[in-house]
Amino acid sequence: MSFDRNIKIAPSILAADFANFGAEIVAVQEQGADWIHVDVMDGHFVPNITFGPETCKAIRPHIKGVMDVHLMISPVDQYIDAFAKSGADIITAHYEAGPHIHRTLQAIRNTGAKAGIALNPGTPAESIEYLLDMIDLICVMTVNPGFGGQKFIHGQIDKVRKLRAMVGDRPIHIEIDGGVTPETAPLVTEAGADVLVAGSAVFGGGSVANPAPYGDNIRAIRSAARG
Ligand code: DX5
Ligand code: ZN
């Protein structure tokens, strides 16, 4: 995986047809998606359940580029190998998921995957100060994790700006997750984000049978993000 700060749109399959992930992924990629964002929820760390490593493994062959796996699970450490073996390029764990995030990030990098850290809305930017050399991606949650289709929390924009200053020249992506739309995208890219996760704003209005709206939605977010 090479590094750049170009804007990347990462559709979240949380908003796709769960009975048809393979075709949904193919469709959204044909319509211009850069990365595929995969939300894993355990019904414990967050109040919703999605799927696990077997589903990740099954969808991997359909993903042409980066498979970006967001683990909203606790505990997390004992599942890292399984998600790495499923073919994840990036494995993101939550800062809040356990007492030993430093160890978790080490374990992720040891598998050969890139290590991401996700920050809930209440977690300050400074939390990651002593972790910067261990991370490849910071996922700023702009909603409370657990569900798609929630309203963007504007107070997080200031956190993005702080994180961008902390990152400096390091090859660390800043990803935004939750409530990304053509209206909110420019606010976070201006503050320094380069990866935009979007569920409802990409999959809304389209389907595998009618994928053109996916392309319209992705282009709308991308062109707004470029300001
Ligand atoms: C929320 C997930 C998000 C979610 C975003 O817990 O991590 O990735 O799919 O959905 P939207 O874009 O609809 O806010
Ligand atoms: Zn996510």
Tab-separated table of all heavy atoms in Angstrom, residues 57-123:
chain	number	residue	atom	x	y	z
A	57	LYS	N	-13.208	-12.310	4.794
A	57	LYS	CA	-12.485	-13.214	3.891
A	57	LYS	C	-13.288	-13.458	2.609
A	57	LYS	O	-12.745	-13.501	1.509
A	57	LYS	CB	-12.258	-14.540	4.631
A	57	LYS	CG	-11.274	-15.475	4.003
A	57	LYS	CD	-11.029	-16.600	5.007
A	57	LYS	CE	-10.499	-17.835	4.330
A	57	LYS	NZ	-10.490	-18.970	5.268
A	58	ALA	N	-14.589	-13.598	2.775
A	58	ALA	CA	-15.451	-13.877	1.614
A	58	ALA	C	-15.533	-12.695	0.657
A	58	ALA	O	-15.624	-12.875	-0.560
A	58	ALA	CB	-16.849	-14.272	2.099
A	59	ILE	N	-15.494	-11.492	1.201
A	59	ILE	CA	-15.617	-10.323	0.311
A	59	ILE	C	-14.271	-9.882	-0.255
A	59	ILE	O	-14.228	-9.189	-1.273
A	59	ILE	CB	-16.324	-9.132	1.000
A	59	ILE	CG1	-15.503	-8.605	2.185
A	59	ILE	CG2	-17.733	-9.513	1.422
A	59	ILE	CD1	-16.103	-7.349	2.836
A	60	ARG	N	-13.177	-10.286	0.373
A	60	ARG	CA	-11.833	-9.838	-0.049
A	60	ARG	C	-11.584	-9.972	-1.561
A	60	ARG	O	-11.089	-9.039	-2.190
A	60	ARG	CB	-10.772	-10.583	0.763
A	60	ARG	CG	-9.332	-10.375	0.323
A	60	ARG	CD	-8.781	-9.003	0.680
A	60	ARG	NE	-8.740	-8.076	-0.415
A	60	ARG	CZ	-8.049	-6.921	-0.388
A	60	ARG	NH1	-7.373	-6.561	0.698
A	60	ARG	NH2	-8.066	-6.118	-1.408
A	61	PRO	N	-11.912	-11.124	-2.174
A	61	PRO	CA	-11.605	-11.261	-3.611
A	61	PRO	C	-12.329	-10.240	-4.493
A	61	PRO	O	-11.912	-10.003	-5.623
A	61	PRO	CB	-12.073	-12.683	-3.948
A	61	PRO	CG	-12.151	-13.395	-2.650
A	61	PRO	CD	-12.470	-12.367	-1.617
A	62	HIS	N	-13.385	-9.635	-3.987
A	62	HIS	CA	-14.129	-8.650	-4.777
A	62	HIS	C	-13.531	-7.248	-4.666
A	62	HIS	O	-13.915	-6.348	-5.412
A	62	HIS	CB	-15.601	-8.617	-4.326
A	62	HIS	CG	-16.272	-9.950	-4.439
A	62	HIS	ND1	-16.709	-10.460	-5.652
A	62	HIS	CD2	-16.556	-10.887	-3.512
A	62	HIS	CE1	-17.243	-11.654	-5.443
A	62	HIS	NE2	-17.159	-11.933	-4.157
A	63	ILE	N	-12.628	-7.064	-3.690
A	63	ILE	CA	-12.058	-5.729	-3.450
A	63	ILE	C	-10.764	-5.592	-4.237
A	63	ILE	O	-9.809	-6.335	-4.022
A	63	ILE	CB	-11.834	-5.500	-1.938
A	63	ILE	CG1	-13.172	-5.603	-1.193
A	63	ILE	CG2	-11.168	-4.147	-1.689
A	63	ILE	CD1	-13.069	-5.499	0.323
A	64	LYS	N	-10.749	-4.611	-5.160
A	64	LYS	CA	-9.570	-4.422	-6.019
A	64	LYS	C	-8.450	-3.703	-5.288
A	64	LYS	O	-7.272	-3.956	-5.520
A	64	LYS	CB	-9.962	-3.574	-7.249
A	64	LYS	CG	-10.726	-4.339	-8.302
A	64	LYS	CD	-10.841	-3.510	-9.566
A	64	LYS	CE	-11.424	-2.132	-9.263
A	64	LYS	NZ	-11.897	-1.377	-10.419
A	65	GLY	N	-8.813	-2.764	-4.446
A	65	GLY	CA	-7.793	-1.931	-3.799
A	65	GLY	C	-7.701	-2.215	-2.313
A	65	GLY	O	-7.561	-3.364	-1.894
A	66	VAL	N	-7.821	-1.150	-1.546
A	66	VAL	CA	-7.594	-1.238	-0.105
A	66	VAL	C	-8.848	-1.711	0.629
A	66	VAL	O	-9.936	-1.156	0.459
A	66	VAL	CB	-7.144	0.148	0.433
A	66	VAL	CG1	-7.114	0.164	1.959
A	66	VAL	CG2	-5.777	0.512	-0.147
A	67	MET	N	-8.666	-2.746	1.447
A	67	MET	CA	-9.733	-3.222	2.339
A	67	MET	C	-9.460	-2.640	3.727
A	67	MET	O	-8.484	-2.997	4.382
A	67	MET	CB	-9.748	-4.747	2.388
A	67	MET	CG	-10.802	-5.351	3.278
A	67	MET	SD	-10.804	-7.148	3.021
A	67	MET	CE	-11.969	-7.668	4.239
A	68	ASP	N	-10.333	-1.737	4.139
A	68	ASP	CA	-10.148	-0.920	5.333
A	68	ASP	C	-11.110	-1.433	6.400
A	68	ASP	O	-12.308	-1.159	6.343
A	68	ASP	CB	-10.459	0.532	4.908
A	68	ASP	CG	-10.488	1.524	6.032
A	68	ASP	OD1	-9.750	1.337	7.005
A	68	ASP	OD2	-11.249	2.518	5.918
A	69	VAL	N	-10.581	-2.206	7.349
A	69	VAL	CA	-11.451	-2.880	8.325
A	69	VAL	C	-11.470	-2.110	9.645
A	69	VAL	O	-10.435	-1.924	10.294
A	69	VAL	CB	-10.992	-4.340	8.541
A	69	VAL	CG1	-11.833	-5.013	9.627
A	69	VAL	CG2	-11.100	-5.133	7.239
A	70	HIS	N	-12.649	-1.666	10.023
A	70	HIS	CA	-12.868	-0.858	11.229
A	70	HIS	C	-13.478	-1.749	12.299
A	70	HIS	O	-14.651	-2.131	12.212
A	70	HIS	CB	-13.808	0.299	10.845
A	70	HIS	CG	-14.173	1.192	11.982
A	70	HIS	ND1	-15.195	2.119	11.880
A	70	HIS	CD2	-13.660	1.332	13.238
A	70	HIS	CE1	-15.292	2.783	13.027
A	70	HIS	NE2	-14.387	2.319	13.858
A	71	LEU	N	-12.671	-2.091	13.303
A	71	LEU	CA	-13.132	-2.995	14.349
A	71	LEU	C	-13.757	-2.227	15.499
A	71	LEU	O	-13.071	-1.527	16.246
A	71	LEU	CB	-11.954	-3.826	14.884
A	71	LEU	CG	-11.254	-4.750	13.878
A	71	LEU	CD1	-10.132	-5.526	14.576
A	71	LEU	CD2	-12.243	-5.709	13.220
A	72	MET	N	-15.068	-2.349	15.635
A	72	MET	CA	-15.765	-1.773	16.784
A	72	MET	C	-16.091	-2.929	17.709
A	72	MET	O	-17.258	-3.318	17.887
A	72	MET	CB	-17.038	-1.033	16.298
A	72	MET	CG	-16.701	0.276	15.609
A	72	MET	SD	-18.026	0.899	14.566
A	72	MET	CE	-17.645	0.022	13.052
A	73	ILE	N	-15.004	-3.510	18.255
A	73	ILE	CA	-15.142	-4.699	19.106
A	73	ILE	C	-14.220	-4.562	20.317
A	73	ILE	O	-13.193	-3.902	20.260
A	73	ILE	CB	-14.805	-6.008	18.327
A	73	ILE	CG1	-13.325	-6.066	17.921
A	73	ILE	CG2	-15.683	-6.143	17.086
A	73	ILE	CD1	-12.902	-7.386	17.287
A	74	SER	N	-14.631	-5.188	21.400
A	74	SER	CA	-13.827	-5.210	22.613
A	74	SER	C	-14.152	-6.489	23.390
A	74	SER	O	-15.326	-6.761	23.633
A	74	SER	CB	-14.143	-3.984	23.473
A	74	SER	OG	-13.484	-4.077	24.705
A	75	PRO	N	-13.151	-7.294	23.748
A	75	PRO	CA	-11.730	-7.116	23.484
A	75	PRO	C	-11.408	-7.305	22.011
A	75	PRO	O	-12.183	-7.917	21.271
A	75	PRO	CB	-11.067	-8.196	24.338
A	75	PRO	CG	-12.111	-9.262	24.466
A	75	PRO	CD	-13.422	-8.547	24.490
A	76	VAL	N	-10.233	-6.829	21.625
A	76	VAL	CA	-9.883	-6.852	20.211
A	76	VAL	C	-8.674	-7.739	19.914
A	76	VAL	O	-8.621	-8.391	18.863
A	76	VAL	CB	-9.667	-5.398	19.694
A	76	VAL	CG1	-8.559	-4.693	20.411
A	76	VAL	CG2	-9.447	-5.337	18.202
A	77	ASP	N	-7.715	-7.807	20.849
A	77	ASP	CA	-6.422	-8.428	20.532
A	77	ASP	C	-6.524	-9.866	19.998
A	77	ASP	O	-5.826	-10.235	19.062
A	77	ASP	CB	-5.498	-8.410	21.758
A	77	ASP	CG	-5.038	-7.005	22.109
A	77	ASP	OD1	-5.582	-6.041	21.533
A	77	ASP	OD2	-4.141	-6.874	22.956
A	78	GLN	N	-7.394	-10.659	20.587
A	78	GLN	CA	-7.432	-12.078	20.185
A	78	GLN	C	-8.035	-12.302	18.801
A	78	GLN	O	-8.000	-13.417	18.300
A	78	GLN	CB	-8.168	-12.948	21.213
A	78	GLN	CG	-9.594	-12.595	21.463
A	78	GLN	CD	-9.737	-11.816	22.753
A	78	GLN	OE1	-9.026	-10.828	22.976
A	78	GLN	NE2	-10.643	-12.229	23.615
A	79	TYR	N	-8.569	-11.238	18.181
A	79	TYR	CA	-9.164	-11.393	16.850
A	79	TYR	C	-8.307	-10.804	15.730
A	79	TYR	O	-8.651	-10.914	14.555
A	79	TYR	CB	-10.562	-10.736	16.833
A	79	TYR	CG	-11.490	-11.358	17.852
A	79	TYR	CD1	-11.823	-10.666	19.019
A	79	TYR	CD2	-12.004	-12.629	17.668
A	79	TYR	CE1	-12.656	-11.243	19.967
A	79	TYR	CE2	-12.835	-13.207	18.618
A	79	TYR	CZ	-13.159	-12.505	19.766
A	79	TYR	OH	-13.977	-13.084	20.699
A	80	ILE	N	-7.209	-10.159	16.105
A	80	ILE	CA	-6.401	-9.450	15.106
A	80	ILE	C	-5.872	-10.388	14.025
A	80	ILE	O	-5.965	-10.093	12.825
A	80	ILE	CB	-5.251	-8.677	15.796
A	80	ILE	CG1	-5.850	-7.486	16.555
A	80	ILE	CG2	-4.200	-8.202	14.787
A	80	ILE	CD1	-4.887	-6.776	17.461
A	81	ASP	N	-5.340	-11.529	14.426
A	81	ASP	CA	-4.785	-12.467	13.433
A	81	ASP	C	-5.848	-12.914	12.437
A	81	ASP	O	-5.583	-13.011	11.250
A	81	ASP	CB	-4.181	-13.699	14.120
A	81	ASP	CG	-2.763	-13.420	14.592
A	81	ASP	OD1	-2.179	-12.397	14.161
A	81	ASP	OD2	-2.253	-14.218	15.402
A	82	ALA	N	-7.027	-13.181	12.927
A	82	ALA	CA	-8.105	-13.644	12.038
A	82	ALA	C	-8.469	-12.572	11.014
A	82	ALA	O	-8.678	-12.882	9.830
A	82	ALA	CB	-9.331	-14.028	12.858
A	83	PHE	N	-8.501	-11.323	11.439
A	83	PHE	CA	-8.821	-10.258	10.474
A	83	PHE	C	-7.658	-10.034	9.514
A	83	PHE	O	-7.881	-9.761	8.333
A	83	PHE	CB	-9.237	-8.968	11.195
A	83	PHE	CG	-10.631	-9.038	11.741
A	83	PHE	CD1	-10.864	-9.283	13.085
A	83	PHE	CD2	-11.729	-8.910	10.891
A	83	PHE	CE1	-12.158	-9.391	13.580
A	83	PHE	CE2	-13.031	-9.004	11.371
A	83	PHE	CZ	-13.242	-9.247	12.722
A	84	ALA	N	-6.445	-10.189	9.993
A	84	ALA	CA	-5.284	-10.060	9.090
A	84	ALA	C	-5.332	-11.179	8.046
A	84	ALA	O	-5.149	-10.934	6.850
A	84	ALA	CB	-3.989	-10.120	9.888
A	85	LYS	N	-5.619	-12.382	8.486
A	85	LYS	CA	-5.694	-13.533	7.556
A	85	LYS	C	-6.860	-13.383	6.586
A	85	LYS	O	-6.844	-13.978	5.503
A	85	LYS	CB	-5.820	-14.842	8.341
A	85	LYS	CG	-4.510	-15.250	8.987
A	85	LYS	CD	-4.520	-16.707	9.450
A	85	LYS	CE	-3.211	-17.042	10.161
A	85	LYS	NZ	-3.394	-17.250	11.621
A	86	SER	N	-7.856	-12.613	6.948
A	86	SER	CA	-8.992	-12.409	6.029
A	86	SER	C	-8.608	-11.497	4.870
A	86	SER	O	-9.363	-11.347	3.916
A	86	SER	CB	-10.187	-11.825	6.790
A	86	SER	OG	-10.029	-10.431	6.963
A	87	GLY	N	-7.426	-10.878	4.970
A	87	GLY	CA	-6.929	-10.069	3.858
A	87	GLY	C	-7.061	-8.569	4.038
A	87	GLY	O	-6.892	-7.803	3.081
A	88	ALA	N	-7.309	-8.129	5.265
A	88	ALA	CA	-7.415	-6.685	5.522
A	88	ALA	C	-6.083	-5.998	5.241
A	88	ALA	O	-5.030	-6.495	5.634
A	88	ALA	CB	-7.814	-6.449	6.975
A	89	ASP	N	-6.136	-4.860	4.556
A	89	ASP	CA	-4.920	-4.055	4.360
A	89	ASP	C	-4.680	-3.160	5.573
A	89	ASP	O	-3.547	-2.943	5.974
A	89	ASP	CB	-5.070	-3.174	3.110
A	89	ASP	CG	-5.193	-4.006	1.855
A	89	ASP	OD1	-4.197	-4.609	1.452
A	89	ASP	OD2	-6.318	-4.085	1.299
A	90	ILE	N	-5.783	-2.604	6.088
A	90	ILE	CA	-5.713	-1.744	7.274
A	90	ILE	C	-6.653	-2.329	8.314
A	90	ILE	O	-7.803	-2.656	8.001
A	90	ILE	CB	-6.185	-0.306	6.958
A	90	ILE	CG1	-5.389	0.291	5.809
A	90	ILE	CG2	-6.103	0.584	8.210
A	90	ILE	CD1	-5.920	1.630	5.318
A	91	ILE	N	-6.146	-2.462	9.533
A	91	ILE	CA	-7.001	-2.888	10.646
A	91	ILE	C	-7.009	-1.750	11.660
A	91	ILE	O	-5.967	-1.345	12.169
A	91	ILE	CB	-6.476	-4.188	11.292
A	91	ILE	CG1	-6.465	-5.333	10.257
A	91	ILE	CG2	-7.315	-4.555	12.521
A	91	ILE	CD1	-5.870	-6.644	10.769
A	92	THR	N	-8.200	-1.230	11.905
A	92	THR	CA	-8.348	-0.104	12.832
A	92	THR	C	-9.040	-0.578	14.095
A	92	THR	O	-10.116	-1.174	14.045
A	92	THR	CB	-9.144	1.034	12.170
A	92	THR	OG1	-8.398	1.514	11.050
A	92	THR	CG2	-9.397	2.181	13.133
A	93	ALA	N	-8.389	-0.309	15.227
A	93	ALA	CA	-8.978	-0.628	16.530
A	93	ALA	C	-9.314	0.685	17.231
A	93	ALA	O	-8.715	1.724	16.945
A	93	ALA	CB	-7.984	-1.424	17.370
A	94	HIS	N	-10.248	0.624	18.167
A	94	HIS	CA	-10.623	1.833	18.896
A	94	HIS	C	-9.707	2.093	20.080
A	94	HIS	O	-9.360	1.170	20.825
A	94	HIS	CB	-12.078	1.738	19.385
A	94	HIS	CG	-13.027	2.369	18.431
A	94	HIS	ND1	-13.513	3.634	18.596
A	94	HIS	CD2	-13.534	1.905	17.260
A	94	HIS	CE1	-14.311	3.934	17.576
A	94	HIS	NE2	-14.335	2.893	16.755
A	95	TYR	N	-9.344	3.347	20.258
A	95	TYR	CA	-8.580	3.784	21.440
A	95	TYR	C	-9.290	3.336	22.720
A	95	TYR	O	-8.657	2.956	23.703
A	95	TYR	CB	-8.454	5.314	21.405
A	95	TYR	CG	-7.780	5.899	22.603
A	95	TYR	CD1	-6.388	5.942	22.679
A	95	TYR	CD2	-8.524	6.401	23.677
A	95	TYR	CE1	-5.756	6.467	23.794
A	95	TYR	CE2	-7.898	6.929	24.791
A	95	TYR	CZ	-6.518	6.959	24.847
A	95	TYR	OH	-5.901	7.470	25.946
A	96	GLU	N	-10.627	3.359	22.674
A	96	GLU	CA	-11.425	3.104	23.877
A	96	GLU	C	-11.711	1.619	24.101
A	96	GLU	O	-12.389	1.249	25.059
A	96	GLU	CB	-12.776	3.843	23.776
A	96	GLU	CG	-12.671	5.322	23.438
A	96	GLU	CD	-12.508	5.585	21.933
A	96	GLU	OE1	-12.560	4.628	21.143
A	96	GLU	OE2	-12.313	6.760	21.559
A	97	ALA	N	-11.194	0.748	23.214
A	97	ALA	CA	-11.604	-0.664	23.252
A	97	ALA	C	-10.942	-1.479	24.351
A	97	ALA	O	-11.356	-2.595	24.632
A	97	ALA	CB	-11.360	-1.320	21.901
A	98	GLY	N	-9.910	-0.944	24.966
A	98	GLY	CA	-9.253	-1.718	26.019
A	98	GLY	C	-8.139	-0.915	26.654
A	98	GLY	O	-7.823	0.180	26.194
A	99	PRO	N	-7.535	-1.469	27.710
A	99	PRO	CA	-6.513	-0.702	28.437
A	99	PRO	C	-5.147	-0.677	27.752
A	99	PRO	O	-4.284	0.088	28.148
A	99	PRO	CB	-6.429	-1.438	29.779
A	99	PRO	CG	-6.860	-2.836	29.476
A	99	PRO	CD	-7.841	-2.749	28.357
A	100	HIS	N	-4.953	-1.501	26.716
A	100	HIS	CA	-3.605	-1.650	26.160
A	100	HIS	C	-3.554	-1.393	24.664
A	100	HIS	O	-3.153	-2.256	23.879
A	100	HIS	CB	-3.056	-3.045	26.486
A	100	HIS	CG	-2.941	-3.282	27.948
A	100	HIS	ND1	-2.082	-2.573	28.763
A	100	HIS	CD2	-3.614	-4.117	28.769
A	100	HIS	CE1	-2.212	-2.972	30.009
A	100	HIS	NE2	-3.137	-3.913	30.037
A	101	ILE	N	-3.933	-0.193	24.264
A	101	ILE	CA	-3.964	0.127	22.836
A	101	ILE	C	-2.573	0.042	22.205
A	101	ILE	O	-2.434	-0.350	21.043
A	101	ILE	CB	-4.599	1.534	22.607
A	101	ILE	CG1	-4.787	1.828	21.115
A	101	ILE	CG2	-3.801	2.638	23.263
A	101	ILE	CD1	-5.780	0.964	20.399
A	102	HIS	N	-1.535	0.363	22.962
A	102	HIS	CA	-0.167	0.293	22.440
A	102	HIS	C	0.139	-1.142	21.989
A	102	HIS	O	0.632	-1.384	20.888
A	102	HIS	CB	0.797	0.745	23.542
A	102	HIS	CG	2.201	0.966	23.107
A	102	HIS	ND1	3.094	-0.064	22.920
A	102	HIS	CD2	2.866	2.108	22.807
A	102	HIS	CE1	4.258	0.437	22.550
A	102	HIS	NE2	4.154	1.755	22.465
A	103	ARG	N	-0.219	-2.093	22.828
A	103	ARG	CA	0.005	-3.512	22.503
A	103	ARG	C	-0.840	-3.924	21.285
A	103	ARG	O	-0.387	-4.671	20.419
A	103	ARG	CB	-0.375	-4.366	23.712
A	103	ARG	CG	-0.228	-5.859	23.461
A	103	ARG	CD	-0.687	-6.645	24.666
A	103	ARG	NE	0.213	-6.485	25.792
A	103	ARG	CZ	-0.158	-6.523	27.072
A	103	ARG	NH1	-1.423	-6.715	27.385
A	103	ARG	NH2	0.718	-6.368	28.033
A	104	THR	N	-2.063	-3.433	21.244
A	104	THR	CA	-2.953	-3.760	20.118
A	104	THR	C	-2.349	-3.286	18.803
A	104	THR	O	-2.338	-4.024	17.807
A	104	THR	CB	-4.326	-3.090	20.337
A	104	THR	OG1	-4.864	-3.553	21.582
A	104	THR	CG2	-5.292	-3.401	19.210
A	105	LEU	N	-1.827	-2.050	18.796
A	105	LEU	CA	-1.244	-1.508	17.559
A	105	LEU	C	-0.011	-2.310	17.153
A	105	LEU	O	0.189	-2.604	15.969
A	105	LEU	CB	-0.888	-0.025	17.759
A	105	LEU	CG	-2.107	0.882	17.970
A	105	LEU	CD1	-1.672	2.246	18.492
A	105	LEU	CD2	-2.910	1.038	16.679
A	106	GLN	N	0.801	-2.686	18.139
A	106	GLN	CA	1.967	-3.536	17.856
A	106	GLN	C	1.528	-4.846	17.219
A	106	GLN	O	2.106	-5.303	16.231
A	106	GLN	CB	2.683	-3.891	19.164
A	106	GLN	CG	3.785	-2.946	19.544
A	106	GLN	CD	4.385	-3.321	20.908
A	106	GLN	OE1	3.753	-3.971	21.740
A	106	GLN	NE2	5.610	-2.878	21.126
A	107	ALA	N	0.488	-5.440	17.786
A	107	ALA	CA	-0.005	-6.729	17.285
A	107	ALA	C	-0.510	-6.586	15.852
A	107	ALA	O	-0.293	-7.475	15.020
A	107	ALA	CB	-1.105	-7.251	18.201
A	108	ILE	N	-1.173	-5.479	15.553
A	108	ILE	CA	-1.672	-5.281	14.184
A	108	ILE	C	-0.489	-5.178	13.225
A	108	ILE	O	-0.439	-5.856	12.193
A	108	ILE	CB	-2.566	-4.023	14.085
A	108	ILE	CG1	-3.840	-4.211	14.907
A	108	ILE	CG2	-2.911	-3.727	12.621
A	108	ILE	CD1	-4.711	-2.961	15.033
A	109	ARG	N	0.490	-4.345	13.554
A	109	ARG	CA	1.654	-4.192	12.661
A	109	ARG	C	2.425	-5.500	12.504
A	109	ARG	O	2.947	-5.782	11.434
A	109	ARG	CB	2.561	-3.094	13.184
A	109	ARG	CG	2.047	-1.704	12.803
A	109	ARG	CD	3.213	-0.814	12.494
A	109	ARG	NE	2.812	0.476	11.962
A	109	ARG	CZ	3.460	1.606	12.220
A	109	ARG	NH1	4.522	1.599	13.009
A	109	ARG	NH2	3.057	2.729	11.668
A	110	ASN	N	2.470	-6.294	13.565
A	110	ASN	CA	3.182	-7.586	13.487
A	110	ASN	C	2.577	-8.526	12.447
A	110	ASN	O	3.245	-9.423	11.953
A	110	ASN	CB	3.193	-8.288	14.850
A	110	ASN	CG	4.233	-7.681	15.767
A	110	ASN	OD1	5.134	-6.964	15.315
A	110	ASN	ND2	4.107	-7.939	17.058
A	111	THR	N	1.307	-8.333	12.131
A	111	THR	CA	0.679	-9.200	11.122
A	111	THR	C	1.053	-8.767	9.705
A	111	THR	O	0.771	-9.468	8.747
A	111	THR	CB	-0.867	-9.160	11.211
A	111	THR	OG1	-1.320	-7.861	10.800
A	111	THR	CG2	-1.369	-9.495	12.588
A	112	GLY	N	1.626	-7.556	9.592
A	112	GLY	CA	1.945	-7.024	8.258
A	112	GLY	C	0.882	-6.055	7.757
A	112	GLY	O	1.071	-5.388	6.742
A	113	ALA	N	-0.247	-5.967	8.461
A	113	ALA	CA	-1.288	-5.007	8.077
A	113	ALA	C	-0.898	-3.613	8.576
A	113	ALA	O	-0.058	-3.465	9.470
A	113	ALA	CB	-2.630	-5.420	8.682
A	114	LYS	N	-1.506	-2.584	7.970
A	114	LYS	CA	-1.336	-1.222	8.469
A	114	LYS	C	-2.208	-1.070	9.714
A	114	LYS	O	-3.296	-1.675	9.798
A	114	LYS	CB	-1.781	-0.199	7.415
A	114	LYS	CG	-1.000	-0.279	6.117
A	114	LYS	CD	0.362	0.344	6.249
A	114	LYS	CE	1.080	0.354	4.922
A	114	LYS	NZ	2.531	0.624	5.082
A	115	ALA	N	-1.747	-0.254	10.653
A	115	ALA	CA	-2.457	-0.096	11.917
A	115	ALA	C	-3.209	1.228	11.965
A	115	ALA	O	-2.626	2.293	11.765
A	115	ALA	CB	-1.481	-0.180	13.083
A	116	GLY	N	-4.505	1.140	12.252
A	116	GLY	CA	-5.321	2.337	12.418
A	116	GLY	C	-5.806	2.447	13.853
A	116	GLY	O	-5.958	1.435	14.545
A	117	ILE	N	-6.034	3.686	14.278
A	117	ILE	CA	-6.631	3.917	15.595
A	117	ILE	C	-7.848	4.811	15.418
A	117	ILE	O	-7.783	5.829	14.723
A	117	ILE	CB	-5.609	4.522	16.582
A	117	ILE	CG1	-6.188	4.617	17.982
A	117	ILE	CG2	-5.110	5.896	16.127
A	117	ILE	CD1	-5.122	4.872	19.039
A	118	ALA	N	-8.975	4.389	15.983
A	118	ALA	CA	-10.203	5.178	15.867
A	118	ALA	C	-10.458	5.891	17.189
A	118	ALA	O	-10.233	5.327	18.265
A	118	ALA	CB	-11.386	4.281	15.518
A	119	LEU	N	-10.914	7.137	17.086
A	119	LEU	CA	-11.201	7.947	18.275
A	119	LEU	C	-12.686	8.291	18.315
A	119	LEU	O	-13.215	8.917	17.386
A	119	LEU	CB	-10.393	9.252	18.236
A	119	LEU	CG	-8.875	9.145	18.076
A	119	LEU	CD1	-8.248	10.541	18.082
A	119	LEU	CD2	-8.266	8.289	19.184
A	120	ASN	N	-13.353	7.898	19.401
A	120	ASN	CA	-14.752	8.278	19.601
A	120	ASN	C	-14.854	9.798	19.750
A	120	ASN	O	-13.859	10.454	20.087
A	120	ASN	CB	-15.295	7.597	20.863
A	120	ASN	CG	-15.738	6.178	20.603
A	120	ASN	OD1	-15.968	5.790	19.454
A	120	ASN	ND2	-15.839	5.386	21.654
A	121	PRO	N	-16.049	10.348	19.561
A	121	PRO	CA	-16.186	11.813	19.641
A	121	PRO	C	-15.686	12.415	20.964
A	121	PRO	O	-15.179	13.533	20.968
A	121	PRO	CB	-17.695	12.028	19.456
A	121	PRO	CG	-18.134	10.863	18.635
A	121	PRO	CD	-17.286	9.697	19.085
A	122	GLY	N	-15.783	11.675	22.070
A	122	GLY	CA	-15.360	12.226	23.361
A	122	GLY	C	-13.877	12.095	23.654
A	122	GLY	O	-13.399	12.562	24.685
A	123	THR	N	-13.139	11.445	22.773
A	123	THR	CA	-11.713	11.188	23.013
A	123	THR	C	-10.866	12.293	22.387
A	123	THR	O	-10.998	12.579	21.195
A	123	THR	CB	-11.329	9.812	22.416
A	123	THR	OG1	-12.154	8.820	23.017
A	123	THR	CG2	-9.868	9.487	22.662
